[in-house]
Amino acid sequence: MKTIFNFLVLFAAIGCMTSCEKDDDKADARDAYIGSFKVTEQCVYPDGTIAQDSYNITIVKSSVNDMDVVINNIINSGESVNATINSTNFTIPQQTITAYGYGVSGSGRRDGNSITFSVLVTMQGIGQVNFSCTGNKQ
């Protein structure tokens, strides 16, 4: 009986060791986003005017939430926004670009080394401006 009990204890211990995975061993979905991207942007103003721009953004891991990244230089503003990663997709929740007081939100996706995203910016006195951006990792 003691042998069976010892076997069960050993079996339970082995099962715990194999199922107790370290957090460091898990892949971080944000890793594929981290880096610098050369972005081409097209924006459409409420009056139908279309403008284009090309610039760099950088994406870094958020130190606040392990599902978030920080996109620096969003819409070539010099400002940063938070985005939540979900595999190859991401969401930019409603937030404010402080230097300008613009409200921003959006979504996008990563495909290999390419990134595509749309940002809706609410500008006081102008209205909502749609920004469509594509870029490649540098």
Side-chain angles (χ1 to χ4, degrees):
M1 189 67 151
K2 187 176 178 182
T3 304
I4 293 173
F5 177 75
N6 288 341
F7 177 74
L8 290 175
V9 169
L10 179 63
F11 183 73
I14 291 170
C16 181
M17 286 190 298
T18 58
S19 66
C20 298
E21 194 175 306
K22 286 184 187 179
D23 286 340
D24 295 342
D25 294 340
K26 294 181 182 177
D28 189 335
R30 300 175 299 173
D31 287 343
Y33 288 88
I34 305 308
S36 182
F37 293 81
K38 179 71 171 178
V39 174
T40 301
E41 160 197 290
Q42 181 175 353
C43 63
V44 180
Y45 289 90
D47 67 0
T49 303
I50 297 173
Q52 294 184 340
D53 198 1
S54 186
Y55 53 90
N56 290 320
I57 62 170
T58 57
I59 302 177
V60 297
K61 290 181 182 179
S62 169
S63 60
V64 177
N65 183 326
D66 63 1
M67 296 293 292
D68 287 358
V69 295
V70 177
I71 303 173
N72 298 303
N73 198 32
I74 193 76
I75 64 168
N76 206 18
S77 66
E79 295 286 319
S80 301
V81 295
N82 293 314
T84 302
I85 303 298
N86 183 4
S87 185
T88 59
N89 298 309
F90 64 93
T91 303
I92 301 169
Q94 182 66 42
Q95 52 201 289
T96 302
I97 296 177
T98 50
Y100 302 102
Y102 298 161
V104 298
S105 63
S107 62
R109 64 177 284 107
R110 176 193 53 78
D111 185 14
N113 285 328
S114 298
I115 191 169
T116 303
F117 59 99
S118 297
V119 179
L120 181 63
V121 178
T122 304
M123 298 178 180
Q124 193 170 21
I126 295 175
Q128 292 186 327
V129 180
N130 293 303
F131 290 81
S132 299
C133 306
T134 59
N136 292 310
K137 201 171 202 178
Q138 301 296 295

